[in-house]
């Protein structure tokens, strides 16, 4: 979404509805795949019925949730302990399928970021009071930089799980084997579409597995270098309507 489909102001391309019609005419479906929660994606795409949410931890198809992938309680506990030991300022978001739990003392910067990605939020006085069960993702906001300050200590704490740098100020923890790529493969199987016939767009490291899984990998010009290294196509940046440009080319060939 951010850095890929959305423009510099966080808005959908003006021609997105037209692109959906063009895709449908060609027998294709445009599926939002995001680290955002399902409630947020459903608000952004009110006509949508298929989503990859929470970096693949929640998958909806045809208006029904077909899969959720909770973290083990041991993983949640270890990640929270590692977070508590960090000196750098950060905010933890505990994500359940239906809501996100955040401590009330979150900074203004964290609240502003959280409001972008989580429409269903439960504010709590003490995050330690939230049970470690049924948590599908742990998101950590770090204004100083997620890759530089958060990634290594979290990976050391939960080495068997999927730790993804999902943005300059965000890091996400999902269960082992859970990512956007695995969700894309599952959706392709259910739709009886060869994975070679899929196309994925991305700009950051939480898109890496999805681009690897897709038949055609499209990285934005503004993408992280690792995505550009494996891409089949480099799209113009999100600020220049890159997704629309490439989709029109592909759907008209």
């Amino acid at each position: 979404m951010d850095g890929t489909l959305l423009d510099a102001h966080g808005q959908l391309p003006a021609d997105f509805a037209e692109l959906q019609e063009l895709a449908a005419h060609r027998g294709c479906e445009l599926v939002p795949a995001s680290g955002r929660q399902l409630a947020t994606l459903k608000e952004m795409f009110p006509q949508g019925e298929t989503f990859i949410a929470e970096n693949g931890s929640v998958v909806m198809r045809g208006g029904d949730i077909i899969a959720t992938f909770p973290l083990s309680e041991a993983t949640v506990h270890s990640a929270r302990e590692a977070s508590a030991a960090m000196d750098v300022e950060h905010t933890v978001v505990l994500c359940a399928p239906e809501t996100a739990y955040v401590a009330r003392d979150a900074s203004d910067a964290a609240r502003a970021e959280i409001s972008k990605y989580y429409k269903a939020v439960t504010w709590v006085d003490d995050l330690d009071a939230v049970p470690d069960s049924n948590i599908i993702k742990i998101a950590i906001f770090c204004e100083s930089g997620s890759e530089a300050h958060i990634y290594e200590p979290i990976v050391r704490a939960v080495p068997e799980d999927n730790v993804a740098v999902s943005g300059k100020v965000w890091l996400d923890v999902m269960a082992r084997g859970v990512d956007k790529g695995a969700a894309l493969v599952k959706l392709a199987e259910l739709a009886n579409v060869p994975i070679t016939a899929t196309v994925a767009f991305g700009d950051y490291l939480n898109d890496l597995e999805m681009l690897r899984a897709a038949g055609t990998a499209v990285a934005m010009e503004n993408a992280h270098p690792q995505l550009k290294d494996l891409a089949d196509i480099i799209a113009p940046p999100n600020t220049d309507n890159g997704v629309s440009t490439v989709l029109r080319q592909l759907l008209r060939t």
Side-chain angles (χ1 to χ4, degrees), residues 37-241:
Q37 70 179 170
L38 181 60
T40 306
L41 293 177
K42 289 173 70 175
E43 181 177 273
M44 295 180 69
F45 302 92
Q47 305 305 317
E49 294 188 332
T50 304
F51 300 99
I52 296 173
E54 304 278 20
N55 280 330
S57 295
V58 178
V59 183
M60 172 175 276
R61 180 171 186 260
D64 296 320
I65 295 177
I66 61 169
T68 61
F69 302 95
L71 292 159
S72 71
E73 292 188 31
T75 291
V76 177
H77 180 75
S78 295
R80 291 172 69 173
E81 278 197 333
S83 168
M86 294 176 189
D87 292 330
V88 65
E89 184 176 349
H90 64 282
T91 299
V92 174
V93 182
L94 298 178
C95 306
E98 69 283 353
T99 192
Y101 297 95
V102 189
R104 296 187 196 278
D105 62 359
S107 68
D108 289 343
R111 283 175 174 267
E113 278 288 301
I114 289 165
S115 69
K116 292 181 190 177
Y117 307 115
Y118 299 94
K119 296 303 179 183
V121 178
T122 301
W123 299 95
V124 297
D125 293 326
D126 184 359
L127 208 58
D128 289 337
V130 178
D132 289 339
S133 59
N134 201 35
I135 300 299
I136 55 169
K137 187 186 77 176
I138 300 171
I140 303 177
F141 167 76
C142 178
E143 194 171 12
S144 299
S146 56
E147 191 170 5
H149 299 283
I150 301 294
Y151 181 76
E152 289 297 336
I154 294 296
V155 166
R156 287 196 298 268
V158 291
E160 299 300 319
D161 293 278
N162 182 12
V163 181
V165 178
S166 51
K168 292 181 180 179
V169 296
W170 283 102
L171 176 139
D172 292 330
V173 181
M174 288 78 63
R176 184 178 183 178
V178 176
D179 52 57
K180 293 180 183 178
L184 176 63
V185 170
K186 183 65 175 178
L187 282 176
E189 290 175 353
L190 291 172
N192 198 29
V193 172
I195 194 66
T196 53
T198 63
V199 180
F201 292 77
D203 74 291
Y204 223 78
L205 295 174
N206 61 324
D207 300 317
L208 197 62
E209 293 88 354
M210 183 172 65
L211 265 63
R212 284 177 176 155
T216 301
V218 185
M220 311 306 292
E221 178 59 42
N222 52 285
H224 192 286
Q226 289 187 41
L227 271 71
K228 296 174 77 171
D229 285 346
L230 65 83
D232 300 302
I233 299 171
I234 303 297
N238 66 302
T239 51
D240 288 341
N241 219 20

Side-chain angles (χ1 to χ4, degrees), residues 2-40:
D2 293 284
T4 301
L5 179 62
L6 305 184
D7 64 19
H9 304 290
Q11 301 299 311
L12 286 169
D15 62 347
F16 188 72
E18 182 183 344
L19 287 170
Q20 287 181 305
E21 291 181 5
L22 181 60
H25 181 71
R26 293 296 306 272
C28 302
E29 183 177 11
L30 303 185
V31 179
S34 176
R36 298 172 188 237
Q37 70 179 170
L38 181 60
T40 306

